[in-house]
Amino acid sequence: MTSLTRTPAWRALADHRDALAGISIRALFERDPERAARFSLDAAGLFVDYSKNPVDADTIARLVALAREAGVDKHRDAMFAGERINRTEQRAVLHVALRDRSGAQRIVDGVDHVDVWPQVAAVLARMRTFSDAVRSGAWRGHTGREITDVVNIGIGGSDLGPKMVCEALKPYAHERLTMHFVSNVDGADIAEVLKRANPETTLFIVSSKTFTTRETLANAHTARAWLLASGAPEAAIAKHFAAVSTNADAVATFGIDTANMFEFWDWVGGRYSLWSAIGLPIAIMAGMDAFEQLLDGAHAMDRHFADAPLERNLPVLLAMIGIWHQNFLGATSQLIAPYDNYLHRLPAYLQQLDMESNGKSVTLGGERVDYATGPVIWGEPGTNGQHAFFQLLHQGTAIIPTDFIVCMRPHHTLDAHHDILVANCFAQSEALMNGSRSVDEPHRNFEGNRPTNTICIDMLDPASLGALIALYEHKVFVQGVVWQINSFDQWGVELGKKLAVAIERELAAPGPVSSHDGSTNQLINRYNARRRAAT
Ligand code: G6Q
């Protein structure tokens, strides 16, 4: 395979970068009075203004040519068709099928040619029954009391998505129910939740695709022991534990009644799983109707991604502009700045989505890449970020492309607050682009020409949230295709897990440990000595 950097489309972009160098974004606005409208797009209820980037019509045409040359449309169609595009794990990637409630047939390619929709519909129906029962109070704890607290125990893809969505949809929350998310194996995480919870009215959802994850099982065992230590009989586990998993045997071995198990499938990747039964906490908190609206919003973005021409295709445009920054203009990170407090977990969620998907340095063909791949994703909600790290955006040496996300209408009635919030959001992208010259006082000089996108949501409801998440999912997908990497595996997390198992055994060792490098031996031995001294 020709190296990406030697393809005609890549070279055309490199030449174009040189031609465009020295022309500021502000100058591009002066050249084209229609620029704002020309470089904006509406899709699936979202409006995205990408005009404050150092691109002109020619840049976009060349970026789209690169996407086309990379086969983005072909790969996208293969994903929607259920082909096993996750080649290093031989799996289909069909999270889009989870939100296609039209019931269109989706076949996982392979020996079985199974239409997945009937299975998806059956699990959705069970989620509705269960979440309705918990919300209405029909589902009761072992002493007959209604559930008041729901604790999701899961990590990574089995935590970040449902947690982010539950935070984002708080205005839709059931009044009686408090949601908790325990992910960390640090005992402090679960201890803080259990300290305040009542065993009679707490429901645990153990969410784990594999049901073998060390952190999740440790937390689930602690939760079970806590319930039993309160005097509840073994039979109470069925009233207080549900599971979401692909592994029915392990769920049964743990002691959870498989009647309380919600299934999903190996063609749903962990970080793409909030649309599956992993979204059960969302359905319980906001109701199954809201969960289905979330699916519908994502499906609307899927349709846009599948059908719109690449030139007017939002995930494709955001992906290719990201590639422009990353590969041609030297950016290495991407800031996510939601000007909406309900979206405060979105940056953390997108960190996993993007960095676990595209943090790769070997192509699908097994060759080391000679170009940059996934950026570092980071962020905080506005306006908090302004009073912290925005200094670096305005006057630092690094160029940090930023996505601003803002809602036109808030869920509260504090209109004055919302005007201040929105004014700050718009002011930041304006300031980042235009800068402000100060010849006499260089410390007050703002160079400007900092690139931003602004994503406008009418109101943060389940459907628009679904569309927003799907937008980023597909953006990440497109970038992975262009970079010729597999966005759907995560081998990079395995090595540390394996070593931790070995070290865990050594933490019980009676004498000094010497099997590692000097630093690791020293740390283990220091810990062991201090632990022993403390007991
Ligand atoms: C996501 C990853 C990873 C995974 C967690 C939890 O894409 O695969 O974050 O979700 O390691 O795994 P389990 O759901 O199997 O416990």
Side-chain angles (χ1 to χ4, degrees), residues 9-40:
W10 190 278
R11 288 181 167 195
L13 279 158
D15 293 344
H16 177 69
R17 170 196 44 209
D18 299 339
L20 211 61
I23 303 173
S24 67
I25 310 171
R26 199 167 57 171
L28 293 170
F29 270 95
E30 282 157 12
R31 280 185 188 181
D32 178 5
E34 301 302 316
R35 180 176 172 85
R38 210 187 297 281
F39 293 91
S40 297

PDB file of all heavy atoms in Angstrom, residues 9-40:
ATOM      1  N   ALA A   9      -3.520  12.966  -3.215  1.00  0.00           N
ATOM      2  CA  ALA A   9      -4.403  13.855  -2.442  1.00  0.00           C
ATOM      3  C   ALA A   9      -3.645  14.476  -1.266  1.00  0.00           C
ATOM      4  O   ALA A   9      -3.832  15.657  -0.933  1.00  0.00           O
ATOM      5  CB  ALA A   9      -5.612  13.070  -1.935  1.00  0.00           C
ATOM      6  N   TRP A  10      -2.789  13.693  -0.637  1.00  0.00           N
ATOM      7  CA  TRP A  10      -2.012  14.211   0.505  1.00  0.00           C
ATOM      8  C   TRP A  10      -1.045  15.292   0.013  1.00  0.00           C
ATOM      9  O   TRP A  10      -0.918  16.367   0.599  1.00  0.00           O
ATOM     10  CB  TRP A  10      -1.248  13.058   1.162  1.00  0.00           C
ATOM     11  CG  TRP A  10      -0.621  13.415   2.470  1.00  0.00           C
ATOM     12  CD1 TRP A  10       0.574  14.052   2.658  1.00  0.00           C
ATOM     13  CD2 TRP A  10      -1.153  13.183   3.779  1.00  0.00           C
ATOM     14  NE1 TRP A  10       0.829  14.215   3.991  1.00  0.00           N
ATOM     15  CE2 TRP A  10      -0.212  13.684   4.709  1.00  0.00           C
ATOM     16  CE3 TRP A  10      -2.311  12.579   4.258  1.00  0.00           C
ATOM     17  CZ2 TRP A  10      -0.415  13.616   6.088  1.00  0.00           C
ATOM     18  CZ3 TRP A  10      -2.502  12.500   5.634  1.00  0.00           C
ATOM     19  CH2 TRP A  10      -1.568  13.020   6.529  1.00  0.00           C
ATOM     20  N   ARG A  11      -0.379  14.993  -1.109  1.00  0.00           N
ATOM     21  CA  ARG A  11       0.584  15.969  -1.640  1.00  0.00           C
ATOM     22  C   ARG A  11      -0.107  17.261  -2.060  1.00  0.00           C
ATOM     23  O   ARG A  11       0.428  18.345  -1.883  1.00  0.00           O
ATOM     24  CB  ARG A  11       1.309  15.367  -2.834  1.00  0.00           C
ATOM     25  CG  ARG A  11       2.269  14.302  -2.368  1.00  0.00           C
ATOM     26  CD  ARG A  11       3.008  13.706  -3.502  1.00  0.00           C
ATOM     27  NE  ARG A  11       4.119  12.918  -2.996  1.00  0.00           N
ATOM     28  CZ  ARG A  11       5.117  12.512  -3.739  1.00  0.00           C
ATOM     29  NH1 ARG A  11       5.172  12.832  -5.008  1.00  0.00           N
ATOM     30  NH2 ARG A  11       6.079  11.789  -3.219  1.00  0.00           N
ATOM     31  N   ALA A  12      -1.300  17.098  -2.612  1.00  0.00           N
ATOM     32  CA  ALA A  12      -2.043  18.297  -3.046  1.00  0.00           C
ATOM     33  C   ALA A  12      -2.348  19.176  -1.830  1.00  0.00           C
ATOM     34  O   ALA A  12      -2.320  20.413  -1.914  1.00  0.00           O
ATOM     35  CB  ALA A  12      -3.336  17.885  -3.737  1.00  0.00           C
ATOM     36  N   LEU A  13      -2.609  18.545  -0.695  1.00  0.00           N
ATOM     37  CA  LEU A  13      -2.884  19.322   0.523  1.00  0.00           C
ATOM     38  C   LEU A  13      -1.611  19.985   1.048  1.00  0.00           C
ATOM     39  O   LEU A  13      -1.636  21.126   1.509  1.00  0.00           O
ATOM     40  CB  LEU A  13      -3.506  18.417   1.590  1.00  0.00           C
ATOM     41  CG  LEU A  13      -5.005  18.192   1.389  1.00  0.00           C
ATOM     42  CD1 LEU A  13      -5.476  16.924   2.098  1.00  0.00           C
ATOM     43  CD2 LEU A  13      -5.815  19.395   1.869  1.00  0.00           C
ATOM     44  N   ALA A  14      -0.498  19.266   0.971  1.00  0.00           N
ATOM     45  CA  ALA A  14       0.768  19.857   1.435  1.00  0.00           C
ATOM     46  C   ALA A  14       1.109  21.090   0.592  1.00  0.00           C
ATOM     47  O   ALA A  14       1.512  22.131   1.128  1.00  0.00           O
ATOM     48  CB  ALA A  14       1.875  18.812   1.371  1.00  0.00           C
ATOM     49  N   ASP A  15       0.916  20.986  -0.716  1.00  0.00           N
ATOM     50  CA  ASP A  15       1.185  22.151  -1.585  1.00  0.00           C
ATOM     51  C   ASP A  15       0.259  23.296  -1.221  1.00  0.00           C
ATOM     52  O   ASP A  15       0.661  24.447  -1.144  1.00  0.00           O
ATOM     53  CB  ASP A  15       0.926  21.798  -3.064  1.00  0.00           C
ATOM     54  CG  ASP A  15       1.935  20.783  -3.557  1.00  0.00           C
ATOM     55  OD1 ASP A  15       2.967  20.600  -2.873  1.00  0.00           O
ATOM     56  OD2 ASP A  15       1.662  20.149  -4.604  1.00  0.00           O
ATOM     57  N   HIS A  16      -0.990  22.941  -0.988  1.00  0.00           N
ATOM     58  CA  HIS A  16      -1.994  23.958  -0.699  1.00  0.00           C
ATOM     59  C   HIS A  16      -1.686  24.664   0.631  1.00  0.00           C
ATOM     60  O   HIS A  16      -1.860  25.877   0.746  1.00  0.00           O
ATOM     61  CB  HIS A  16      -3.366  23.278  -0.645  1.00  0.00           C
ATOM     62  CG  HIS A  16      -4.484  24.176  -0.282  1.00  0.00           C
ATOM     63  ND1 HIS A  16      -4.927  25.180  -1.123  1.00  0.00           N
ATOM     64  CD2 HIS A  16      -5.253  24.249   0.829  1.00  0.00           C
ATOM     65  CE1 HIS A  16      -5.929  25.815  -0.516  1.00  0.00           C
ATOM     66  NE2 HIS A  16      -6.142  25.272   0.658  1.00  0.00           N
ATOM     67  N   ARG A  17      -1.212  23.892   1.602  1.00  0.00           N
ATOM     68  CA  ARG A  17      -0.832  24.514   2.883  1.00  0.00           C
ATOM     69  C   ARG A  17       0.190  25.618   2.637  1.00  0.00           C
ATOM     70  O   ARG A  17       0.080  26.714   3.177  1.00  0.00           O
ATOM     71  CB  ARG A  17      -0.224  23.457   3.807  1.00  0.00           C
ATOM     72  CG  ARG A  17       0.414  24.079   5.052  1.00  0.00           C
ATOM     73  CD  ARG A  17       1.333  23.124   5.771  1.00  0.00           C
ATOM     74  NE  ARG A  17       2.199  22.405   4.863  1.00  0.00           N
ATOM     75  CZ  ARG A  17       2.677  21.187   5.092  1.00  0.00           C
ATOM     76  NH1 ARG A  17       2.358  20.561   6.200  1.00  0.00           N
ATOM     77  NH2 ARG A  17       3.459  20.590   4.211  1.00  0.00           N
ATOM     78  N   ASP A  18       1.152  25.340   1.783  1.00  0.00           N
ATOM     79  CA  ASP A  18       2.182  26.348   1.527  1.00  0.00           C
ATOM     80  C   ASP A  18       1.567  27.572   0.848  1.00  0.00           C
ATOM     81  O   ASP A  18       1.914  28.709   1.145  1.00  0.00           O
ATOM     82  CB  ASP A  18       3.307  25.742   0.692  1.00  0.00           C
ATOM     83  CG  ASP A  18       3.965  24.582   1.444  1.00  0.00           C
ATOM     84  OD1 ASP A  18       3.816  24.538   2.691  1.00  0.00           O
ATOM     85  OD2 ASP A  18       4.575  23.712   0.806  1.00  0.00           O
ATOM     86  N   ALA A  19       0.614  27.313  -0.052  1.00  0.00           N
ATOM     87  CA  ALA A  19      -0.001  28.441  -0.768  1.00  0.00           C
ATOM     88  C   ALA A  19      -0.846  29.301   0.179  1.00  0.00           C
ATOM     89  O   ALA A  19      -0.960  30.519  -0.007  1.00  0.00           O
ATOM     90  CB  ALA A  19      -0.866  27.909  -1.909  1.00  0.00           C
ATOM     91  N   LEU A  20      -1.444  28.630   1.188  1.00  0.00           N
ATOM     92  CA  LEU A  20      -2.358  29.358   2.085  1.00  0.00           C
ATOM     93  C   LEU A  20      -1.620  30.000   3.270  1.00  0.00           C
ATOM     94  O   LEU A  20      -2.187  30.819   3.996  1.00  0.00           O
ATOM     95  CB  LEU A  20      -3.409  28.363   2.612  1.00  0.00           C
ATOM     96  CG  LEU A  20      -4.809  28.897   2.917  1.00  0.00           C
ATOM     97  CD1 LEU A  20      -5.470  29.472   1.678  1.00  0.00           C
ATOM     98  CD2 LEU A  20      -5.672  27.772   3.486  1.00  0.00           C
ATOM     99  N   ALA A  21      -0.373  29.605   3.442  1.00  0.00           N
ATOM    100  CA  ALA A  21       0.381  30.106   4.608  1.00  0.00           C
ATOM    101  C   ALA A  21       0.413  31.633   4.591  1.00  0.00           C
ATOM    102  O   ALA A  21       0.554  32.258   3.537  1.00  0.00           O
ATOM    103  CB  ALA A  21       1.804  29.553   4.573  1.00  0.00           C
ATOM    104  N   GLY A  22       0.245  32.214   5.743  1.00  0.00           N
ATOM    105  CA  GLY A  22       0.300  33.684   5.817  1.00  0.00           C
ATOM    106  C   GLY A  22      -1.044  34.347   5.589  1.00  0.00           C
ATOM    107  O   GLY A  22      -1.181  35.558   5.779  1.00  0.00           O
ATOM    108  N   ILE A  23      -2.051  33.582   5.179  1.00  0.00           N
ATOM    109  CA  ILE A  23      -3.393  34.187   5.021  1.00  0.00           C
ATOM    110  C   ILE A  23      -4.194  33.856   6.280  1.00  0.00           C
ATOM    111  O   ILE A  23      -4.423  32.680   6.584  1.00  0.00           O
ATOM    112  CB  ILE A  23      -4.110  33.647   3.765  1.00  0.00           C
ATOM    113  CG1 ILE A  23      -3.229  33.905   2.543  1.00  0.00           C
ATOM    114  CG2 ILE A  23      -5.487  34.283   3.606  1.00  0.00           C
ATOM    115  CD1 ILE A  23      -3.729  33.272   1.276  1.00  0.00           C
ATOM    116  N   SER A  24      -4.580  34.891   6.992  1.00  0.00           N
ATOM    117  CA  SER A  24      -5.267  34.639   8.263  1.00  0.00           C
ATOM    118  C   SER A  24      -6.732  34.270   8.036  1.00  0.00           C
ATOM    119  O   SER A  24      -7.298  34.539   6.965  1.00  0.00           O
ATOM    120  CB  SER A  24      -5.184  35.885   9.147  1.00  0.00           C
ATOM    121  OG  SER A  24      -5.948  36.910   8.552  1.00  0.00           O
ATOM    122  N   ILE A  25      -7.330  33.698   9.062  1.00  0.00           N
ATOM    123  CA  ILE A  25      -8.763  33.353   8.964  1.00  0.00           C
ATOM    124  C   ILE A  25      -9.551  34.647   8.767  1.00  0.00           C
ATOM    125  O   ILE A  25     -10.496  34.705   7.980  1.00  0.00           O
ATOM    126  CB  ILE A  25      -9.259  32.607  10.220  1.00  0.00           C
ATOM    127  CG1 ILE A  25      -8.326  31.445  10.570  1.00  0.00           C
ATOM    128  CG2 ILE A  25     -10.684  32.111  10.025  1.00  0.00           C
ATOM    129  CD1 ILE A  25      -8.607  30.772  11.916  1.00  0.00           C
ATOM    130  N   ARG A  26      -9.130  35.684   9.470  1.00  0.00           N
ATOM    131  CA  ARG A  26      -9.827  36.964   9.325  1.00  0.00           C
ATOM    132  C   ARG A  26      -9.766  37.459   7.874  1.00  0.00           C
ATOM    133  O   ARG A  26     -10.755  37.937   7.324  1.00  0.00           O
ATOM    134  CB  ARG A  26      -9.213  37.996  10.259  1.00  0.00           C
ATOM    135  CG  ARG A  26     -10.147  39.154  10.490  1.00  0.00           C
ATOM    136  CD  ARG A  26      -9.702  39.996  11.615  1.00  0.00           C
ATOM    137  NE  ARG A  26      -8.340  40.493  11.386  1.00  0.00           N
ATOM    138  CZ  ARG A  26      -7.768  41.407  12.142  1.00  0.00           C
ATOM    139  NH1 ARG A  26      -8.433  41.905  13.160  1.00  0.00           N
ATOM    140  NH2 ARG A  26      -6.565  41.827  11.910  1.00  0.00           N
ATOM    141  N   ALA A  27      -8.616  37.288   7.253  1.00  0.00           N
ATOM    142  CA  ALA A  27      -8.491  37.723   5.852  1.00  0.00           C
ATOM    143  C   ALA A  27      -9.413  36.898   4.960  1.00  0.00           C
ATOM    144  O   ALA A  27      -9.979  37.420   3.991  1.00  0.00           O
ATOM    145  CB  ALA A  27      -7.037  37.582   5.408  1.00  0.00           C
ATOM    146  N   LEU A  28      -9.606  35.625   5.317  1.00  0.00           N
ATOM    147  CA  LEU A  28     -10.504  34.780   4.516  1.00  0.00           C
ATOM    148  C   LEU A  28     -11.934  35.300   4.607  1.00  0.00           C
ATOM    149  O   LEU A  28     -12.692  35.258   3.630  1.00  0.00           O
ATOM    150  CB  LEU A  28     -10.422  33.322   4.982  1.00  0.00           C
ATOM    151  CG  LEU A  28      -9.077  32.624   4.726  1.00  0.00           C
ATOM    152  CD1 LEU A  28      -9.010  31.275   5.437  1.00  0.00           C
ATOM    153  CD2 LEU A  28      -8.848  32.432   3.225  1.00  0.00           C
ATOM    154  N   PHE A  29     -12.318  35.819   5.776  1.00  0.00           N
ATOM    155  CA  PHE A  29     -13.654  36.430   5.915  1.00  0.00           C
ATOM    156  C   PHE A  29     -13.752  37.702   5.072  1.00  0.00           C
ATOM    157  O   PHE A  29     -14.797  37.965   4.465  1.00  0.00           O
ATOM    158  CB  PHE A  29     -13.944  36.751   7.394  1.00  0.00           C
ATOM    159  CG  PHE A  29     -14.602  35.623   8.118  1.00  0.00           C
ATOM    160  CD1 PHE A  29     -13.855  34.712   8.840  1.00  0.00           C
ATOM    161  CD2 PHE A  29     -15.981  35.459   8.063  1.00  0.00           C
ATOM    162  CE1 PHE A  29     -14.463  33.658   9.496  1.00  0.00           C
ATOM    163  CE2 PHE A  29     -16.600  34.402   8.720  1.00  0.00           C
ATOM    164  CZ  PHE A  29     -15.825  33.493   9.447  1.00  0.00           C
ATOM    165  N   GLU A  30     -12.675  38.455   5.040  1.00  0.00           N
ATOM    166  CA  GLU A  30     -12.718  39.703   4.259  1.00  0.00           C
ATOM    167  C   GLU A  30     -12.865  39.397   2.771  1.00  0.00           C
ATOM    168  O   GLU A  30     -13.550  40.096   2.043  1.00  0.00           O
ATOM    169  CB  GLU A  30     -11.447  40.530   4.526  1.00  0.00           C
ATOM    170  CG  GLU A  30     -11.539  41.266   5.870  1.00  0.00           C
ATOM    171  CD  GLU A  30     -10.181  41.627   6.451  1.00  0.00           C
ATOM    172  OE1 GLU A  30      -9.154  41.529   5.733  1.00  0.00           O
ATOM    173  OE2 GLU A  30     -10.128  41.982   7.654  1.00  0.00           O
ATOM    174  N   ARG A  31     -12.254  38.317   2.338  1.00  0.00           N
ATOM    175  CA  ARG A  31     -12.328  37.946   0.919  1.00  0.00           C
ATOM    176  C   ARG A  31     -13.708  37.471   0.501  1.00  0.00           C
ATOM    177  O   ARG A  31     -14.082  37.566  -0.653  1.00  0.00           O
ATOM    178  CB  ARG A  31     -11.388  36.763   0.650  1.00  0.00           C
ATOM    179  CG  ARG A  31      -9.965  37.142   0.497  1.00  0.00           C
ATOM    180  CD  ARG A  31      -9.237  35.868   0.111  1.00  0.00           C
ATOM    181  NE  ARG A  31      -7.817  36.076   0.110  1.00  0.00           N
ATOM    182  CZ  ARG A  31      -6.949  35.127  -0.203  1.00  0.00           C
ATOM    183  NH1 ARG A  31      -7.376  33.927  -0.539  1.00  0.00           N
ATOM    184  NH2 ARG A  31      -5.666  35.383  -0.194  1.00  0.00           N
ATOM    185  N   ASP A  32     -14.429  36.872   1.431  1.00  0.00           N
ATOM    186  CA  ASP A  32     -15.685  36.205   1.066  1.00  0.00           C
ATOM    187  C   ASP A  32     -16.793  36.577   2.045  1.00  0.00           C
ATOM    188  O   ASP A  32     -16.896  35.999   3.132  1.00  0.00           O
ATOM    189  CB  ASP A  32     -15.459  34.687   1.081  1.00  0.00           C
ATOM    190  CG  ASP A  32     -16.735  33.916   0.746  1.00  0.00           C
ATOM    191  OD1 ASP A  32     -17.750  34.557   0.410  1.00  0.00           O
ATOM    192  OD2 ASP A  32     -16.706  32.679   0.844  1.00  0.00           O
ATOM    193  N   PRO A  33     -17.659  37.516   1.661  1.00  0.00           N
ATOM    194  CA  PRO A  33     -18.722  37.935   2.581  1.00  0.00           C
ATOM    195  C   PRO A  33     -19.706  36.803   2.907  1.00  0.00           C
ATOM    196  O   PRO A  33     -20.402  36.851   3.922  1.00  0.00           O
ATOM    197  CB  PRO A  33     -19.441  39.070   1.831  1.00  0.00           C
ATOM    198  CG  PRO A  33     -18.718  39.275   0.551  1.00  0.00           C
ATOM    199  CD  PRO A  33     -17.695  38.205   0.378  1.00  0.00           C
ATOM    200  N   GLU A  34     -19.754  35.791   2.072  1.00  0.00           N
ATOM    201  CA  GLU A  34     -20.677  34.669   2.295  1.00  0.00           C
ATOM    202  C   GLU A  34     -20.037  33.543   3.104  1.00  0.00           C
ATOM    203  O   GLU A  34     -20.619  32.480   3.272  1.00  0.00           O
ATOM    204  CB  GLU A  34     -21.143  34.081   0.946  1.00  0.00           C
ATOM    205  CG  GLU A  34     -21.860  35.048   0.035  1.00  0.00           C
ATOM    206  CD  GLU A  34     -23.089  35.640   0.708  1.00  0.00           C
ATOM    207  OE1 GLU A  34     -23.822  34.862   1.343  1.00  0.00           O
ATOM    208  OE2 GLU A  34     -23.273  36.862   0.638  1.00  0.00           O
ATOM    209  N   ARG A  35     -18.837  33.795   3.594  1.00  0.00           N
ATOM    210  CA  ARG A  35     -18.065  32.702   4.199  1.00  0.00           C
ATOM    211  C   ARG A  35     -18.795  31.987   5.353  1.00  0.00           C
ATOM    212  O   ARG A  35     -18.821  30.762   5.418  1.00  0.00           O
ATOM    213  CB  ARG A  35     -16.726  33.247   4.701  1.00  0.00           C
ATOM    214  CG  ARG A  35     -15.862  32.191   5.345  1.00  0.00           C
ATOM    215  CD  ARG A  35     -14.505  32.739   5.757  1.00  0.00           C
ATOM    216  NE  ARG A  35     -13.805  31.733   6.542  1.00  0.00           N
ATOM    217  CZ  ARG A  35     -13.082  30.742   6.028  1.00  0.00           C
ATOM    218  NH1 ARG A  35     -12.930  30.655   4.728  1.00  0.00           N
ATOM    219  NH2 ARG A  35     -12.506  29.846   6.794  1.00  0.00           N
ATOM    220  N   ALA A  36     -19.400  32.773   6.237  1.00  0.00           N
ATOM    221  CA  ALA A  36     -20.046  32.153   7.406  1.00  0.00           C
ATOM    222  C   ALA A  36     -21.097  31.146   6.956  1.00  0.00           C
ATOM    223  O   ALA A  36     -21.150  30.016   7.452  1.00  0.00           O
ATOM    224  CB  ALA A  36     -20.658  33.212   8.309  1.00  0.00           C
ATOM    225  N   ALA A  37     -21.929  31.556   5.992  1.00  0.00           N
ATOM    226  CA  ALA A  37     -22.985  30.654   5.526  1.00  0.00           C
ATOM    227  C   ALA A  37     -22.396  29.488   4.732  1.00  0.00           C
ATOM    228  O   ALA A  37     -22.847  28.338   4.851  1.00  0.00           O
ATOM    229  CB  ALA A  37     -23.974  31.426   4.663  1.00  0.00           C
ATOM    230  N   ARG A  38     -21.368  29.794   3.959  1.00  0.00           N
ATOM    231  CA  ARG A  38     -20.773  28.765   3.102  1.00  0.00           C
ATOM    232  C   ARG A  38     -20.106  27.654   3.932  1.00  0.00           C
ATOM    233  O   ARG A  38     -20.089  26.501   3.538  1.00  0.00           O
ATOM    234  CB  ARG A  38     -19.717  29.428   2.213  1.00  0.00           C
ATOM    235  CG  ARG A  38     -19.529  28.758   0.863  1.00  0.00           C
ATOM    236  CD  ARG A  38     -18.353  29.354   0.102  1.00  0.00           C
ATOM    237  NE  ARG A  38     -18.483  30.771  -0.247  1.00  0.00           N
ATOM    238  CZ  ARG A  38     -19.200  31.227  -1.254  1.00  0.00           C
ATOM    239  NH1 ARG A  38     -19.884  30.385  -2.006  1.00  0.00           N
ATOM    240  NH2 ARG A  38     -19.249  32.515  -1.520  1.00  0.00           N
ATOM    241  N   PHE A  39     -19.566  28.042   5.072  1.00  0.00           N
ATOM    242  CA  PHE A  39     -18.841  27.067   5.894  1.00  0.00           C
ATOM    243  C   PHE A  39     -19.624  26.744   7.172  1.00  0.00           C
ATOM    244  O   PHE A  39     -19.072  26.715   8.279  1.00  0.00           O
ATOM    245  CB  PHE A  39     -17.433  27.569   6.212  1.00  0.00           C
ATOM    246  CG  PHE A  39     -16.552  27.648   5.000  1.00  0.00           C
ATOM    247  CD1 PHE A  39     -16.481  28.811   4.258  1.00  0.00           C
ATOM    248  CD2 PHE A  39     -15.818  26.550   4.573  1.00  0.00           C
ATOM    249  CE1 PHE A  39     -15.685  28.881   3.127  1.00  0.00           C
ATOM    250  CE2 PHE A  39     -15.022  26.611   3.437  1.00  0.00           C
ATOM    251  CZ  PHE A  39     -14.962  27.784   2.712  1.00  0.00           C
ATOM    252  N   SER A  40     -20.913  26.532   6.996  1.00  0.00           N
ATOM    253  CA  SER A  40     -21.783  26.102   8.095  1.00  0.00           C
ATOM    254  C   SER A  40     -22.704  25.021   7.567  1.00  0.00           C
ATOM    255  O   SER A  40     -22.961  24.958   6.356  1.00  0.00           O
ATOM    256  CB  SER A  40     -22.662  27.250   8.606  1.00  0.00           C
ATOM    257  OG  SER A  40     -21.873  28.264   9.138  1.00  0.00           O
TER     258      SER A  40
END
